[in-house]
Amino acid sequence: MSNDYENLLAILGPTNTGKTFTAFEKLFSYSSGIFGFPLRLLARENYDKAVKRIGLSNVALITGEEKIFPKEAKYFFCTVESMPNNISVECVIIDEIQLSADYERGHIFTDRILNLRGNFQTIFLGSLNIENILKKIYPKISIEKKNRFSQLTFLRKQNFSKLEPRSAIIAFNINKVYEIAENIRTHKGGTAVVLGSLSPRTRNAQVEVYENNNVDYLVATDAIGMGLNLNINHVSFSSLEKFDGKYNRNLTPSELGQIAGRAGRYKQDGTFSYTKEAGNLDPLTILQIENHNFDNIQKIYWRNSDLDFNSIDSLLSSLKKYPIHNYLIHKKNALDEVNFRNLINDSEIKRFLVSKRNIELLWKICQIPDFEKLFNDNYLLLLKDIYLILIENNYHIPEEWINNKVKKLNNFGGGIPELSIKISQIRTWTYITNNHNWLKNTYYWKEKTQQIENELSDELHNSLTNKFIDYSSKFFIGEKKFLNIEDIFIKNNNEIFLEKDKYGIIRGFDLIEEKKIFSQSLFSISNIKKSARNMINEKVENFLNSPLDSINCGDISKSKLKDDTFIYWGDEPVGKLKKGKSIYRPTVDALNSEYLSSENKLLVSAKLQKWLDTEINESLHPLNKKLDENINSEIRAIAFNCLENFGNYPIEKFKDILKTISQDSRNQLSKLGIRIGAKYFFIPNLLKKKPLELCAILWKTFYQNNIDYFLPLPQDGRVSFTSEVKMPDDYWQSIGYINIKNFIFRIDIFEKIFFLARQKLKQGPFLESSDLMNPIGCNSNQLKDIMIFCGYEYLIISDEKKLYFHSKKKKETKKIIKNKSIKKIDKTNNKNKTKRDPNSPFAVLEKLL
């Protein structure tokens, strides 16, 4: 190791300083180069950029699980572990060199810093706190410091509910990540998930979901701290400690700074905070993070890379070799070394460790990463199986053996945990096929394992997306949210759809949700409601500007007596009637709705009240006429009773008055629209369909009852109908009808029939006839009941026809009607009467017989 390299350059600075971009540009100023990254994800990302820039054949990708190696390749994008040391290139770049102080991987980064060189230039990228170490190793190294493009500022503690869009929430174990992701999905619509344990393909897909603004949040482990260039405005820590493989420890200020620094891109400032459950950060640490001023790294990990495989003892001895500088820490108990020490004592393996080739083979097997993070005997058993299979099969893995291992994983069923396990397992075989020539058909198995990993990764991505993203939230995320309401609402039916899923229907000024709501995301539900509220506010405005004749009471015949009476705008209910101080003065309330503000509810209620008052005044206008002050008291009494009873009132109570009433008084009643019948006062204008139904509604609203029947009303302008609904007489009178034995008929038609009967009676007793039945639409029995109501009696003659008459001998007539025997009547009459009234029913019968 020389301390005098003039071609060494270190570009140091915090996140968002453009270090990687600068190095990327420098790389292509040379004819060849190697770029080492801390993550496979970053290596792939920059490989793709290079391919677009200089073509597929000129660029190679070398990672533990993926190798794309064109023969003409001049530029190599690698993970640090996979950087080749047997290729001569003009430029070598190593990213995130401060990881040389990492307990797990530090010795690998240190080895690359010390031993890997470009022919013309070697560039180190990292944090400012590695400067001290670099100067100790290479006193004459050129150091270029870069300042952050944007400011990083601390915000006070925040709950998840307060987080603004484009935030990343950091957790340090998978269960916590999933717990937070579910919380964010429920309240914010969804989140992407980034875990170190995810396959790069799944991680890329999740990052793409976030970058494409399909979600506004990202839940991640500290995996995002290593070079993931995302459009994050804010980073929130759910914890300030992590398990590092040995024990839980507090994150160092530099680790916090590395992660927090992902907030803000280029010249856009970023912020960071932590949740209440995370604990506390002291003000000094916060200041260090904001100023990117961390304690210098004093020591980095080192392990001898010049290993001696001649014997087990020589290899262990070379691993024990200590560094000669005090700023280097001897790395002990690295995972590959621990695996090796365990397996060399296994009785089945030990007998083969007698040759350099077999010892080196075991060492290579012990370097297979523990993708499953088993940390137990299962991992060692897997390594042991691989070693023994290779030894027993002339250093090759049999096709049948690997096929049995791999085909079990070629199954894409299961949930997120099962898929994650399968991916970690297939990554083991992907790593083996890419790094070792242990298979006769290496290319086939390389393609096969990569295909399975990709398909499992895609399935895991879909599962994560389905679990932690409410797809309907995309309508409410990003710059175009709320701009295209038509995408959410199908206005012609007032139905709300998110793509093909029906959410509900806007009815009146309310949103009626489907019983089975397809989305469990409170975020989407709240945003749908917000959108619906905006639409309903617009609808209220249209309602307030609409003409009064657009309001109605709906189909009155479908209104049940016990139910509320609704008022409709078009065919949508918007209000309901309530009992008022008098039968003619009900009040109106707008229907309750969470989408109707208090102010709008008052405005809607006021408009509905105005419509109702106008409707009553115009439809029932005779009832609202003010009586002339000069009208006499008798006529005033008649008019008052008629007007208080919807224009219809029995004459019986005013019979004596009517005998002496003057023509002027009659004219006064006529001007009020009141007609005098034989049995009733009535107002013809109120017997039409519209006022009649309004009278029924007013009666129903004022005389509230629990009758579970539809409001009995004539259909299609009929003057009579039958009904089994038992209603008080004042109801029938209020709509201008009379009820006799469930046959209901209109008062004015009844008066017409009564008038015809009186005219016929002037000629003596008369037979039932069609001119009596047709106007009222009744049959013989119904006419009989009406005639009895009018004070007539009847006889049944031989052809079953009824003969109606007025009789002064009521007792005799009753007996006749009871016995219904014409012959007996004749005998009795002959004995008791010598002289017969020619107009009596008996005289008429004689003529008929």
Side-chain angles (χ1 to χ4, degrees), residues 147-358:
N147 295 320
R148 186 177 164 91
F149 289 130
S150 61
Q151 294 294 316
L152 184 62
T153 308
F154 175 71
L155 298 180
R156 59 182 176 78
K157 292 181 180 180
Q158 289 184 313
N159 288 328
F160 297 136
S161 59
K162 302 296 183 182
L163 290 177
E164 294 294 328
R166 312 315 294 169
S167 292
I169 303 97
I170 310 302
F172 295 100
N173 69 70
I174 190 169
N175 291 332
K176 191 64 178 177
V177 167
Y178 289 161
E179 177 189 326
I180 294 170
E182 184 62 34
N183 186 313
I184 296 296
R185 178 194 186 278
T186 301
H187 296 95
K188 302 290 188 179
T191 179
V193 175
V194 174
L195 302 165
S197 59
L198 295 179
S199 69
R201 187 180 179 93
T202 305
R203 238 182 307 175
N204 277 343
Q206 287 291 299
V207 166
E208 188 176 352
V209 166
Y210 176 80
E211 289 293 275
N212 289 342
N213 291 318
N214 292 328
V215 294
D216 270 335
Y217 298 88
L218 177 72
V219 183
T221 60
D222 51 347
I224 72 163
M226 288 297 137
L228 280 180
N229 299 316
L230 305 174
N231 292 308
I232 297 171
N233 295 338
H234 180 76
V235 169
S236 175
F237 292 91
S238 67
S239 176
L240 300 174
E241 63 176 29
K242 65 178 286 188
F243 180 74
D244 64 2
K246 296 176 68 177
Y247 51 83
N248 279 324
R249 63 170 179 83
N250 291 329
L251 292 161
T252 66
S254 61
E255 287 173 325
L256 291 168
Q258 183 75 23
I259 299 168
R262 292 300 155 194
R265 294 302 306 149
Y266 193 46
K267 294 186 178 181
Q268 179 179 324
D269 293 340
T271 55
F272 71 98
S273 67
Y274 52 91
T275 61
K276 292 180 180 178
E277 64 180 19
N280 288 290
L281 279 179
D282 63 85
L284 182 59
T285 301
I286 292 171
L287 194 62
Q288 283 181 287
I289 296 170
E290 288 181 328
N291 296 329
H292 325 293
N293 182 20
F294 305 110
D295 294 339
N296 287 328
I297 294 172
Q298 300 300 321
K299 294 187 178 185
I300 58 177
Y301 287 95
W302 175 91
R303 186 175 74 178
N304 179 27
S305 58
D306 185 16
L307 301 179
D308 183 355
F309 293 101
N310 286 309
S311 68
I312 296 295
D313 290 338
S314 63
L315 178 56
L316 294 178
S317 178
S318 59
L319 288 170
K320 289 179 182 178
K321 185 177 179 180
Y322 276 78
I324 60 173
H325 298 286
N326 61 4
Y327 52 80
L328 300 175
I329 305 172
H330 179 230
K331 172 60 180 173
K332 298 177 182 179
N333 299 322
L335 185 59
D336 52 2
E337 184 179 344
V338 171
N339 293 337
F340 186 79
R341 289 181 181 276
N342 281 319
L343 290 177
I344 59 176
N345 294 316
D346 185 279
S347 59
E348 293 182 66
I349 290 176
K350 192 171 185 178
R351 61 194 178 95
F352 295 111
L353 299 177
V354 292
S355 68
K356 181 177 181 179
R357 183 177 185 182
N358 287 357

Side-chain angles (χ1 to χ4, degrees), residues 722-775:
T722 60
S723 174
E724 300 297 325
V725 182
K726 296 188 181 301
M727 298 291 291
D729 287 341
D730 63 347
Y731 167 74
W732 300 116
Q733 184 178 303
S734 71
I735 65 171
Y737 278 71
I738 301 167
N739 180 7
I740 299 178
K741 295 183 179 180
N742 299 332
F743 181 63
I744 297 97
F745 46 91
R746 209 166 73 193
I747 284 177
D748 60 335
I749 303 300
F750 162 75
E751 291 290 353
K752 180 179 180 180
I753 299 304
F754 198 5
F755 174 77
L756 288 174
R758 293 200 310 275
Q759 294 301 312
K760 287 178 179 289
L761 192 62
K762 289 179 181 179
Q763 304 299 322
F766 56 92
L767 289 171
E768 64 182 13
S769 58
S770 60
D771 60 340
L772 291 174
M773 291 185 281
N774 287 347

Side-chain angles (χ1 to χ4, degrees), residues 809 812 828-836 840 842:
K809 298 179 180 181
E812 186 177 354
T828 306
N829 288 342
N830 288 333
K831 289 179 181 180
N832 297 332
K833 289 188 178 181
T834 56
K835 191 175 182 179
R836 184 172 293 152
S840 73
F842 308 107

Side-chain angles (χ1 to χ4, degrees), residues 18 58 72 125 188 196 226 296 331 426 458 496 507 643 698 736 806 839 843:
N58 294 315
E72 300 86 4
L125 308 179
K188 302 290 188 179
M226 288 297 137
N296 287 328
K331 172 60 180 173
I426 197 64
D458 291 341
I496 299 176
R507 186 165 172 78
L643 299 184
L698 293 176
H806 268 168
N839 290 323

Side-chain angles (χ1 to χ4, degrees), residues 371-372 374 382 405-406 408-409 418-432 449 453 456:
F371 292 108
E372 291 187 69
L374 296 173
L382 173 63
K405 297 287 185 181
V406 169
K408 296 176 183 178
L409 306 176
E418 292 84 357
L419 289 169
S420 298
I421 291 171
K422 289 176 184 177
I423 289 173
S424 64
Q425 290 172 342
I426 197 64
R427 286 179 74 184
T428 300
W429 304 111
T430 304
Y431 176 88
I432 289 172
T449 54
E453 180 183 331
L456 285 169

